[in-house]
Amino acid sequence: MPSGRTREFDTDHALDQALRLFWRKGYEGTSLSDLTDAMGITKPSLYAAFGNKEALFHLILDRYVQGPAAYLHEVLGEPTARGVVERFLCSALDAQTDPHTPAGCLLVQGALACGDNAASIKAALIARRKVAELALSQRLEQAQAEGDLPASADPASLARYVSTLSQGMAVQAASGVDREQLLQMIETALQAWPT
């Protein structure tokens, strides 16, 4: 795009449409034509504004983590470890089953559908999930140091368990399992919480 020329589209709207599309179809399942159609722009405009498809996807990941998946930072402030985990799982469930967005989780579905040609995308998605697991683990370590979690508990293993449950819920939600059934999974998991 020549210097000084204004964009002829709403950037936020275009990014929201790209987010929904990548969330629903995955990185490899989304073509450039899909993107330009959904975003209401031409291929030259996409390249000029966002770079290539991979660069756009990385922008979308940031948008997803700061938008639908932003609950992670909020839940870490809960006063108890059990409260953190319960709110994390319930917030994940809300995001995964929101009727206004695609079902499931972009970070989970996106990585499951990546082949060898998109290894860097898969690695980026896995890295984002590891950030969340590490944040949970550190918060559980803090809880253990404060006496809120038994000394016999393993914060890293508990964080991995909670992350795995959340990711499994995302797969189930994307497969059409309803919210009430997923909520029962959370309730079952919390019954086993160490005291």
Side-chain angles (χ1 to χ4, degrees):
M1 182 176 294
S3 178
R5 186 171 170 201
T6 59
R7 292 201 173 108
E8 298 176 2
F9 62 91
D10 179 335
T11 303
D12 282 332
H13 176 75
L15 288 171
D16 286 343
Q17 295 308 310
L19 169 57
R20 294 177 69 81
L21 193 60
F22 279 129
W23 191 344
R24 195 166 36 85
K25 297 180 82 170
Y27 178 77
E28 288 189 312
T30 302
S31 70
L32 280 175
S33 294
D34 292 335
L35 286 166
T36 55
D37 288 348
M39 297 168 79
I41 62 176
T42 64
K43 284 183 185 177
S45 292
L46 186 147
Y47 286 120
F50 307 112
N52 62 16
K53 179 181 166 184
E54 185 171 346
L56 173 61
F57 189 77
H58 285 285
L59 286 173
I60 294 305
L61 284 182
D62 291 339
R63 196 170 188 87
Y64 180 77
V65 169
Q66 295 165 9
Y71 58 84
L72 173 64
H73 303 292
E74 297 167 8
V75 305
L76 297 175
E78 286 292 315
T80 66
R82 189 182 190 284
V84 167
V85 168
E86 182 173 8
R87 188 163 172 209
F88 173 79
L89 291 171
C90 289
S91 296
L93 176 62
D94 289 344
Q96 295 165 3
T97 60
D98 183 339
H100 301 103
T101 62
C105 172
L106 173 64
L107 302 181
V108 174
Q109 272 98 271
L112 293 175
C114 280
D116 292 341
N117 292 335
S120 65
I121 295 296
K122 184 174 186 174
L125 291 163
I126 291 169
R128 298 286 180 131
R129 292 197 322 254
K130 285 185 178 179
V131 165
E133 185 178 313
L134 179 60
L136 277 173
S137 179
Q138 291 171 339
R139 177 61 182 87
L140 295 177
E141 287 172 10
Q142 175 191 336
Q144 192 172 51
E146 294 169 350
D148 179 45
L149 194 61
S152 59
D154 180 348
S157 291
L158 282 172
R160 194 171 310 110
Y161 168 73
V162 171
S163 295
T164 300
L165 179 59
S166 173
Q167 293 164 23
M169 288 169 27
V171 172
Q172 293 289 313
S175 301
V177 174
D178 72 43
R179 179 183 171 77
E180 290 308 311
Q181 290 175 300
L182 295 172
L183 190 56
Q184 289 172 359
M185 291 172 57
I186 293 172
E187 291 168 357
T188 300
L190 290 173
Q191 288 173 7
W193 189 253
T195 56

